[in-house]
Amino acid sequence: MDDNTSALAAAIGGRVRLERQSRGWTLDRLADAAGVSRRMLVNVEQGAANPSVGTLLRISDALGIGLPALVDSPRPKPVTVTRSGRGAALWTSTEGGRGVLVAGTQSPDVVELWDWIMMPGDRLDSEAHAAGTKELLQVREGALTVVVAGEPHVLEAGDAISFPGDTGHSYANQGSDPVTFSMAVFEPGVGSSPHQEGTDA
């Protein structure tokens, strides 16, 4: 991991540990609630792992705080400014692609704003998110193939799509030029389930 990735991993790990301990949860309890292995959770808390976006979503949902809270200050401010180049790069590819979380809101109704660049050949397969999740995406440059529930949609510059994020979906750059796009994700009711509020399931 480079210095920026290491610093982000350490910040995320510290926030996960803080949120877990504030609830009086053991590592095993959070691992069970999130559906991840105890070893993965230990690595995340120690900042030794570069977990997938899917893993971070499962952990943040289990804690009932939403993904943006993992990369932001524990004490939310009424106005948060993310300067250019200072977002949290939570997805990278070997070809140089990046998925950067640039802004987000707090639970219970979490909205995430992402800035993406995918290089030729890049692909991200995303598992179904929590029930009720919606995604909106607009391509700025290039061409992007979005597959939702097995149906492909090819988007050119300026095209936009909205779809339910609670079904399997993927994004891929099947062209020869980089593709850039903006994406918003709405996840309602984060932390509202009894299990996430700390009662035993």
Side-chain angles (χ1 to χ4, degrees):
M1 290 190 287
D2 61 28
D3 289 346
N4 288 339
T5 304
S6 296
L8 178 59
I12 290 172
R15 185 66 193 273
V16 169
R17 184 168 55 255
L18 176 68
E19 294 289 342
R20 176 180 62 79
Q21 291 175 343
S22 72
R23 289 160 176 73
W25 288 14
T26 64
L27 283 163
D28 288 331
R29 178 167 181 179
L30 178 54
D32 287 346
V36 301
S37 70
R38 187 180 193 276
R39 170 53 46 199
M40 170 57 77
L41 188 56
V42 168
N43 287 340
V44 168
E45 288 198 359
Q46 292 177 346
N50 187 15
S52 69
V53 174
T55 296
L56 292 177
L57 275 170
R58 288 193 293 272
I59 292 171
S60 62
D61 284 354
L63 290 169
I65 59 174
L67 183 56
L70 288 187
V71 298
D72 202 1
S73 165
R75 289 175 292 280
K77 298 169 282 191
V79 176
T80 302
V81 176
T82 303
R83 298 295 179 191
S84 178
R86 300 300 302 251
L90 298 180
W91 178 86
T92 57
S93 74
T94 56
E95 302 301 319
R98 290 165 59 89
V100 181
L101 180 62
V102 294
T105 63
Q106 302 294 316
S107 60
D109 294 326
V110 175
V111 180
E112 304 164 10
L113 181 62
W114 292 79
D115 184 45
W116 287 82
I117 180 168
M118 284 187 138
M119 306 306 286
D122 278 349
R123 177 184 175 94
L124 172 64
D125 293 306
S126 182
E127 61 192 41
H129 304 315
T133 299
K134 307 290 185 191
E135 298 198 16
L136 300 94
L137 181 155
Q138 184 178 36
V139 174
R140 298 196 307 270
E141 295 180 326
L144 181 72
T145 300
V146 180
V147 178
V148 181
E151 182 179 355
H153 306 271
V154 179
L155 306 176
E156 306 280 349
D159 292 345
I161 187 174
S162 61
F163 60 92
D166 53 8
T167 188
H169 51 283
S170 67
Y171 323 94
N173 181 353
Q174 298 175 340
S176 56
D177 297 314
V179 58
T180 60
F181 59 97
S182 299
M183 181 172 67
V185 180
F186 170 65
E187 189 178 5
V190 172
S192 60
S193 75
H195 188 80
Q196 290 173 335
E197 289 174 354
T199 60
D200 292 323

